[in-house]
Amino acid sequence: MIAGSSGGHILPALAYINKLSLNKNPNNILFISNEVGKKYLGKIKSKKINKIILESKNKIFFILNLLLKVFFVFLSNRRIILIGFGGFITTPVLIISKLFNIFLLSFNKIYIHEQNVIYGLANKINYFIAKNAFISFPKDNMRSKEIFVGNFFVNRNKFREKLDHKFINILLIGGSAGSLDLNYMMLKEITNFNRAYYKKTKFFIQIPESHVKVFKKKYTNLIDHNKCEFFSFKDDFNPQEYDIILSRSGSGSLNEILYYTNNVYFSPHLISRDQHQKFNLEYFSSHDMSQKKFYIPNKKNLISKFYFNPLINPHSIEKIICYITR
């Protein structure tokens, strides 16, 4: 399994690894990632899973290091099943595998997984060398290699945070890397918010690690520090506990939040080359999952009923394992 660059690529890969290790010998499973994936290694349940973590900021050094690390893996194992879950680091690994198939008579099988409604740049390239592409969004006209497995699903049964419902709870969550522009959007809204309501409001704010000091100061200049909780990563995130959520529209965020609540305003990350978050959001909006206007409520706004995302498939990971191991 190869995944890197963002949590949106890495989390489905780790969910797959954890499921697969229940059916196959964990000693035969290898996870390849970069420095982003290193942050998530604690989510791998079996300690027997093999790992290769490569620094990828220097692309030339990364390729050379990758060749050194994986060459002997491919040389000593002639029948490897590879799945690229996205991120640029997947492409060189899959290409090396394909070259082994062509020139050294290996029998490696190559698959990819795409969690967004459109293919990222890496998977656009990977598609041409893959046997099949597992896709998360249903299409009217599927390409010959595509297999629809549904949207990746986070375990509903894991422990999730409980908040004090006496307060109006506001969450900003900006994806695996955090978000500067969402923080500026939140600060602007707080500035215009009626100060009479501050006493009964609490803010939970994700800040990029590189900007923690700057943004903490900006927030505490507007709100009492005991009314604000800052974090860079939240593992026990519970969408149902919040009266309003300000979020990115990556596939993982859309699916997890809209499985539990529609008290959310999504703002797509538009700087990325393919603008996949914009297309993800348009897809959900076209299926009557409305895009709300962002505002901080002055009274409790929790919905009492369970909100269900009809586009999700709780068994998407099992479906991939079924195709690959049958």
Side-chain angles (χ1 to χ4, degrees):
M1 273 61 66
I2 314 101
S5 301
S6 75
H9 301 306
I10 294 161
L11 290 172
L14 298 186
Y16 177 85
I17 287 170
N18 287 333
K19 288 285 185 182
L20 185 66
S21 64
L22 299 176
N23 301 298
K24 298 292 181 180
N25 185 350
N27 290 308
N28 294 335
I29 299 174
L30 171 63
F31 175 53
I32 301 174
S33 189
N34 60 357
E35 60 276 1
V36 180
K38 189 176 182 179
K39 301 175 183 178
Y40 295 88
L41 294 182
K43 290 183 171 293
I44 297 177
K45 294 179 181 177
S46 173
K47 294 182 180 179
K48 296 179 181 179
I49 303 294
N50 300 286
K51 308 170 192 73
I52 294 177
I53 307 298
L54 301 166
E55 292 293 325
S56 62
K57 292 176 182 177
N58 184 316
K59 301 298 186 288
I60 295 174
F61 179 75
F62 165 73
I63 296 295
L64 292 174
N65 199 14
L66 175 67
L67 284 168
L68 183 66
K69 295 280 188 180
V70 303
F71 182 83
F72 290 104
V73 174
F74 285 116
L75 196 61
S76 57
N77 299 275
R78 311 306 287 273
R79 294 178 182 273
I80 301 174
I81 297 174
L82 300 96
I83 312 178
F85 281 85
F88 82 92
I89 73 164
T90 60
T91 302
V93 181
L94 299 185
I95 288 175
I96 292 168
S97 174
K98 189 69 173 180
L99 292 174
F100 266 78
N101 282 1
I102 295 170
F103 295 109
L104 292 173
L105 299 178
S106 292
F107 299 92
N108 301 324
K109 292 182 181 179
I110 300 170
Y111 301 88
I112 60 172
H113 174 272
E114 179 54 63
Q115 68 275 18
N116 294 300
V117 72
I118 62 169
Y119 287 83
L121 178 60
N123 272 345
K124 285 177 181 175
I125 299 169
N126 296 340
Y127 182 85
F128 292 101
I129 59 176
K131 182 178 185 289
N132 288 110
F134 299 107
I135 60 172
S136 300
F137 287 81
K139 296 181 180 179
D140 292 330
N141 299 300
M142 291 175 63
R143 296 157 74 180
S144 60
K145 294 182 181 181
E146 291 180 334
I147 298 172
F148 171 62
V149 295
N151 287 295
F152 165 65
F153 182 74
V154 176
N155 183 8
R156 270 190 65 198
N157 298 318
K158 74 173 186 177
F159 173 80
R160 291 183 180 272
E161 62 187 341
K162 294 290 184 183
L163 302 180
D164 188 341
H165 287 185
K166 290 185 295 186
F167 294 96
I168 299 166
N169 296 305
I170 315 295
L171 173 69
L172 183 158
I173 190 158
S176 59
S179 169
L180 297 180
D181 56 315
L182 288 192
N183 273 281
Y184 283 117
M185 189 185 300
M186 179 68 81
L187 285 164
K188 182 180 178 181
E189 189 66 25
I190 290 172
T191 302
N192 298 327
F193 190 51
N194 188 329
R195 300 192 71 85
Y197 298 112
Y198 277 154
K199 288 184 179 180
K200 59 179 181 179
T201 306
K202 279 196 173 182
F203 296 86
F204 299 81
I205 307 292
Q206 182 181 27
I207 302 176
E209 290 179 359
S210 57
H211 290 72
V212 170
K213 289 184 179 178
V214 174
F215 275 101
K216 272 189 176 181
K217 186 175 181 181
K218 289 179 183 292
Y219 280 106
T220 52
N221 283 340
L222 297 171
I223 319 166
D224 291 340
H225 67 89
N226 62 343
K227 297 291 184 182
C228 228
E229 179 182 306
F230 303 103
F231 63 94
S232 59
F233 178 73
K234 186 180 277 289
D235 192 42
D236 59 350
F237 169 44
N238 188 352
Q240 285 179 296
E241 292 291 292
Y242 295 95
D243 296 274
I244 188 69
I245 299 170
L246 174 60
S247 172
R248 280 287 185 228
S249 56
S251 179
S253 298
L254 281 162
N255 283 300
E256 182 167 11
I257 292 170
L258 286 175
Y259 195 83
Y260 293 99
T261 180
N262 64 349
N263 284 340
V264 56
Y265 176 82
F266 291 109
S267 178
H269 183 59
L270 299 176
I271 298 175
S272 61
R273 187 183 294 106
D274 53 23
Q275 296 195 6
H276 62 272
Q277 292 197 1
K278 172 190 169 187
F279 292 106
N280 288 346
L281 185 56
E282 286 177 356
Y283 192 98
F284 274 83
S285 297
S286 70
H287 286 75
D288 298 325
M289 297 184 193
S290 61
Q291 171 73 328
K292 293 189 173 183
K293 181 180 178 182
F294 178 59
Y295 70 99
I296 298 175
N298 55 28
K299 60 183 179 179
K300 290 299 289 183
N301 197 35
L302 287 173
I303 54 175
S304 57
K305 63 177 183 172
F306 181 75
Y307 186 81
F308 178 70
N309 168 5
L311 298 178
I312 211 163
N313 176 12
H315 307 292
S316 61
I317 299 297
E318 289 92 337
K319 194 171 180 182
I320 298 173
I321 292 175
C322 180
Y323 270 99
I324 289 177
T325 62
R326 63 184 177 178

